[in-house]
Amino acid sequence: TLLGSLGFENAYALAMLDRRADALAVHTLSDLSRHAPQLSIAGDYEFFGRPEWRSIESTYHLAFHQQRQMQAEFMYQAAAAGEIDLISAYTSDGRVAQFGLRTLVDDKGAIPPYDAIVLISPKRAEDAALIEAVRPLINAIPVATMREANRRAGGAGAETPDAIARWLGEQIAKRQ
C-alpha cells in the first residue's frame, strides 16, 4: 500500500557552484544550454551511459566543452574548487549544500521523478498503529532538510544514526 511521498525526491540533477550559477544567471537546464559549449561537466562512471543523461542531453541539446568521468567522491570537491563547472548529483545528497552547489531545475521534465515514498507491505497494510506512526512523515521532509540529514550522516565527524533521527524528528515537528 502506498502511504504517500516523504516530500522529497532523490533524483539525478546537474549541479554547479552557486556563485558560478549566479554569475551566469543559470537556474534551469534551459538556462544552462546557452553556456554549455564553454563549460566542463563531470559525471560518475555510469552517469553518461544512463537513460537520464541521454534524455537531458537530447531535451536540452547540450554539448559541453569537456566531459569527464570521475569518482563521485571527487566530483563535488572538483566543482567546489572550480576545476569542473558542472557535475551530476543527486538532489538529496548532503554534499550539494556542503560544497555550496546549486541543483539546476529540470524545467522540461527530462529526468524522471524519483520520489521517496512510504510503502506498507501487504502483511502490515491493516496495522493501524504502524500507519499512524508513519503518517507524520508524509510530505514532511523537504529536499533541503534531507540534504542536511545526509550531510550529517556522511564524511568526517558523521553523527550517529540516532542523533540524525532525533534531529530529523525535530525538523518534522517544526513543520507541523
Side-chain angles (χ1 to χ4, degrees), residues 1-172:
T1 302
L2 173 63
L3 196 56
S5 170
L6 291 172
F8 71 93
E9 64 176 331
N10 188 36
Y12 275 108
L14 298 185
M16 65 188 323
L17 267 178
D18 196 48
R19 66 180 180 266
R20 178 88 162 121
D22 280 343
L24 296 174
V26 172
H27 300 279
T28 67
L29 294 179
S30 289
D31 297 337
L32 175 67
S33 65
R34 294 188 305 271
H35 301 282
Q38 292 80 40
L39 301 176
S40 58
I41 185 171
D44 64 31
Y45 289 105
E46 69 176 49
F47 179 70
F48 295 117
R50 293 189 57 86
E52 291 91 341
W53 170 245
R54 289 190 296 278
S55 179
I56 293 168
E57 196 175 32
S58 65
T59 299
Y60 294 99
H61 309 289
L62 296 176
F64 291 92
H65 172 69
Q66 182 184 34
Q67 183 173 304
R68 295 173 51 190
Q69 291 181 320
M70 301 176 87
Q71 276 190 235
E73 294 78 20
F74 301 129
M75 286 189 317
Y76 290 84
Q77 293 172 349
E83 296 168 9
I84 199 87
D85 296 302
L86 199 70
I87 62 169
S88 65
Y90 294 106
T91 55
S92 67
D93 193 315
R95 295 172 291 187
V96 169
Q98 178 185 349
F99 290 107
L101 302 176
R102 171 186 302 173
T103 56
L104 303 180
V105 174
D106 175 16
D107 53 309
K108 294 182 181 177
I111 304 169
Y114 288 93
D115 294 324
I117 59 172
V118 176
L119 293 174
I120 305 294
S121 73
K123 288 182 181 180
R124 303 295 298 271
E126 303 302 320
D127 186 337
L130 171 67
I131 291 170
E132 287 312 306
V134 175
R135 192 171 304 283
L137 298 174
I138 303 305
N139 292 315
I141 308 172
V143 71
T145 302
M146 196 65 230
R147 277 186 195 146
E148 178 60 17
N150 285 333
R151 187 197 64 75
R152 289 169 178 254
E159 298 177 28
T160 66
D162 285 345
I164 296 165
R166 278 192 301 278
W167 177 85
L168 193 53
E170 291 167 5
Q171 302 309 303
I172 291 168

